[in-house]
Amino acid sequence: MTRQRRTAEPYKIKAVEPIRMTSREEREEAIRKAGFNTFLLDSKDVYIDLLTDSGTSAMSDNQWAGMMLGDEAYAGSRNFHNLWDAVTNIYGFKYMVPTHQGRGAEHLISQILIRPGDYVPGNMYFTTTREHQERAGGTFVDVVIDEAHDSQNLHPFKGNVDLVKLEDLIRRVGPDRIPYVSIAVTVNMAGGQPVSMANLRAVRELCDRYVRSDGRPVRIMFDATRCVENAYFIQQREEGYSGRSLRDILREMMSYGDGCTMSGKKDCLVNIGGFLCTNEFEVYQEATQLVVVFEGMPSYGGLAGRDMEAMARGIYEMVDDDYMAFRVSQVQYLGSQLIEAGVPVVRPVGGHAVFLDARAFLDHIPQSEYPAQTLAAALYVDSGVRGMERGNVSAGRDKEGKERFPKLELVRLTIPRRVYTNNHMDVVADSVIALHAQRETLGGLKMVYEPPQLRFFTSRFEPIRREGFWEFVKG
Ligand code: F0G
């Protein structure tokens, strides 16, 4: 029998950051203090931190070297020009405005383009994106394909836009009420699911058929936060793309849009940073006016010169084919261990995270008792692994104040870029599998503090019954 050949990380480790291993008692105390919300845990109490892939990347030696070349001028920093060149080269848009992170760009574009009464169709909501759209007076309308809401459907491009849903909306409200179609590549809340090139092309064609009274067709704005991961799935799964470079594929993807918002904290391999892109001069001009009020001069947008340099260099590194192949394969490595052990996860496993299907995992806990919040808290207690709730708590309340009860009730185990080895993934898999074996001992939670917006960040919980897994809360 021939042994299967394996590949390893396409980088080696030059600096290490020690992490602390904690005792079960310490973790019980920590989760209690954190109100059973993993967002409120201190990082010092976390062993393997899979809360997010946002701002948690390890930078390369080349990026660190760039940090020393920060030109900290108030205006016209040379790092801004490097960032401009990297963005316009790799993404292909005409204009770019830096922002402190993705939501800064979302804020700008929402304020510039959305008017009260507008509708913003999107392929599933993202928390901050929808918040900014609604603050500007818009109504978000989900136009993702139905398959995206089904955790077990094996569609290869579950992030696709449903063209019928989109066209129905455009016809119903008219193109003038649609400032743009918001397309996330990949779709975070669906499990890191990609959009196919064929679908992007079709959405472009559809939008081109609906011309607004200002003379332009309905716009497409990408949420390009994890666009290279999306490009990788196109390369792997879509006919005609297997021989093409990620750089090429990304350029084609972006060519179907009119601009993008970007959280550089993900694909761009930096700890802070973002930007807004547009092909329209008027939109760019308005963005340069607004950015001064909310972020900083248009040549720094809330970032230090060194941050812009690190992001410019990260942009060239993110499209390296070997790097991205390893990145996604590490996520798949964790996912397949869990699938083999019979743990319910969102399938196919996406690009940045493995999502545990908490409704199936804890099918005895009703959604009103927050099964995903429960599972995330329990996983931390079991092993010090920190994941994130992406279910009823994250979905929040609708305009009438009712909980949204989303179809997907998930715990996200998000893999930071270039940070952990596959040994860490093994530890995570062991813990999830052990917890799955004792799932019946887990009871649900009740919310005891709820902030008005984006409640998942700071809400607090308590076990409904202090028994089984939660026995320790008595003490
Ligand atoms: N869009 C998507 C798809 C995101 O995942 C995020 C952030 C943003 C926009 C906002 O960007 O954080 O730089 O302001 N997602 C993080 C996460 C917070 O953990 O998934 P930001």
Side-chain angles (χ1 to χ4, degrees):
M1 214 175 67
T2 49
R3 227 172 100 81
Q4 208 188 341
R5 302 289 289 259
R6 290 174 288 187
T7 50
E9 291 80 348
Y11 43 83
K12 55 186 177 177
I13 296 163
K14 187 175 287 194
V16 295
E17 175 184 346
I19 45 180
R20 196 166 74 93
M21 306 185 67
T22 48
S23 68
R24 169 103 185 190
E25 289 68 36
E26 285 174 308
R27 295 193 296 274
E28 289 173 353
E29 183 55 27
I31 199 72
R32 240 189 320 200
K33 270 206 197 132
F36 298 81
N37 184 348
T38 54
F39 275 104
L40 299 177
L41 287 165
D42 280 336
S43 149
K44 71 168 175 39
D45 297 326
V46 175
Y47 177 36
I48 299 176
D49 202 348
L50 306 186
L51 185 68
T52 179
D53 61 332
S54 182
T56 52
S57 300
M59 293 209 295
S60 67
D61 52 358
N62 178 48
Q63 286 176 292
W64 280 109
M67 296 284 278
M68 284 305 288
L69 301 176
D71 170 4
E72 308 304 345
Y74 191 75
S77 154
R78 98 171 72 85
N79 311 117
F80 167 72
H81 294 291
N82 293 346
L83 179 62
W84 180 283
D85 291 346
V87 171
T88 50
N89 250 315
I90 298 291
Y91 294 78
F93 295 112
K94 276 197 195 140
Y95 307 105
M96 185 276 303
V97 178
T99 57
H100 77 286
Q101 60 183 75
R103 67 198 72 178
E106 292 168 356
H107 177 213
L108 299 181
I109 200 65
S110 302
Q111 291 299 322
I112 294 168
L113 293 179
I114 301 173
R115 298 287 164 265
D118 281 354
Y119 294 84
V120 188
N123 52 346
M124 206 174 263
Y125 85 100
F126 183 73
T127 54
T128 59
T129 321
R130 184 179 64 195
E131 180 74 25
H132 280 299
Q133 292 163 353
E134 293 186 343
R135 275 171 182 259
T139 301
F140 168 82
V141 181
D142 190 0
V143 295
V144 78
I145 57 172
D146 289 339
E147 286 87 338
H149 293 281
D150 172 357
S151 72
Q152 296 310 305
N153 190 297
L154 292 177
H155 193 297
F157 293 102
K158 270 168 114 171
N160 279 356
V161 173
D162 185 321
L163 299 166
V164 176
K165 285 185 197 167
L166 176 59
E167 188 159 20
D168 280 355
L169 177 74
I170 302 177
R171 285 209 181 127
R172 185 160 59 80
V173 304
D176 283 344
R177 291 269 71 150
I178 302 196
Y180 56 90
V181 181
S182 171
I183 304 188
V185 281
T186 57
V187 183
N188 188 358
M189 301 301 272
Q193 305 295 337
V195 181
S196 72
M197 196 73 91
N199 188 251
L200 294 179
R201 213 176 289 128
V203 176
R204 177 76 271 168
E205 280 163 18
L206 175 64
C207 289
D208 283 345
R209 280 193 275 117
Y210 288 92
V211 179
R212 296 158 48 92
S213 44
D214 58 11
R216 52 179 107 252
V218 171
R219 292 184 189 85
I220 295 173
M221 290 298 297
F222 285 114
D223 178 341
T225 295
R226 297 182 183 84
C227 57
V228 194
E229 290 166 13
N230 198 109
Y232 176 77
F233 285 117
I234 290 176
Q235 188 188 55
Q236 298 303 305
R237 296 179 184 169
E238 195 162 350
E239 215 184 307
Y241 290 94
S242 67
R244 287 181 52 188
S245 67
L246 293 177
R247 197 170 164 153
D248 240 33
I249 296 172
L250 179 62
R251 264 309 264 269
E252 182 181 340
M253 286 167 60
M254 294 294 115
S255 75
Y256 300 121
D258 301 288
C260 74
T261 53
M262 181 72 201
S263 170
K265 299 171 73 172
K266 283 81 163 176
D267 267 357
C268 302
L269 296 162
V270 286
N271 306 116
I272 194 73
F275 50 85
L276 169 67
C277 287
T278 173
N279 284 334
E280 296 170 71
F281 181 71
E282 304 73 35
V283 173
Y284 168 65
Q285 205 168 34
E286 270 197 62
T288 57
Q289 291 158 15
L290 267 190
V291 77
V292 182
V293 182
F294 293 105
E295 307 272 325
M297 283 280 286
S299 63
Y300 76 86
L303 296 172
R306 54 179 173 267
D307 297 329
M308 291 190 283
E309 187 61 34
M311 187 151 64
R313 292 176 184 220
I315 285 170
Y316 291 108
E317 293 176 16
M318 74 182 185
V319 286
D320 180 278
D321 288 84
D322 291 335
Y323 150 68
M324 188 48 74
F326 177 77
R327 154 98 187 126
V328 177
S329 80
Q330 185 170 50
V331 178
Q332 308 292 319
Y333 174 77
L334 173 60
S336 25
Q337 290 196 56
L338 299 181
I339 291 168
E340 269 167 38
V343 175
V345 303
V346 174
R347 300 175 69 188
V349 172
H352 67 304
V354 177
F355 287 72
L356 306 177
D357 182 347
R359 278 226 286 204
F361 198 115
L362 299 175
D363 57 5
H364 57 289
I365 300 182
Q367 214 175 355
S368 56
E369 297 178 8
Y370 312 112
Q373 190 77 29
T374 305
L375 183 53
L379 181 63
Y380 170 74
V381 172
D382 184 69
S383 60
V385 170
R386 168 156 74 170
M388 180 194 287
E389 194 267 4
R390 291 276 88 150
N392 196 19
V393 182
S394 293
R397 295 179 184 274
D398 62 18
K399 284 178 183 160
E400 275 96 57
K402 290 204 205 73
E403 287 198 317
R404 287 189 164 98
F405 295 111
K407 283 201 184 121
L408 296 178
E409 177 75 25
L410 311 173
V411 173
R412 189 180 72 173
L413 304 175
T414 338
I415 317 300
R417 295 166 182 78
R418 306 192 292 207
V419 170
Y420 293 115
T421 66
N422 281 352
N423 285 328
H424 293 104
M425 298 302 112
D426 293 341
V427 171
V428 175
D430 287 352
S431 174
V432 174
I433 293 165
L435 213 51
H436 190 238
Q438 46 171 314
R439 59 189 178 278
E440 269 125 47
T441 66
L442 269 162
L445 300 174
K446 61 171 185 261
M447 202 182 291
V448 294
Y449 165 70
E450 178 175 3
Q453 291 104 23
L454 301 176
R455 62 181 188 172
F456 54 94
F457 283 128
T458 53
S459 50
R460 300 181 71 85
F461 302 82
E462 271 171 19
I464 294 170
R465 283 170 292 277
R466 299 173 178 201
E467 59 189 34
F469 191 90
W470 302 124
E471 178 94 54
F472 68 84
V473 180
K474 271 191 191 144

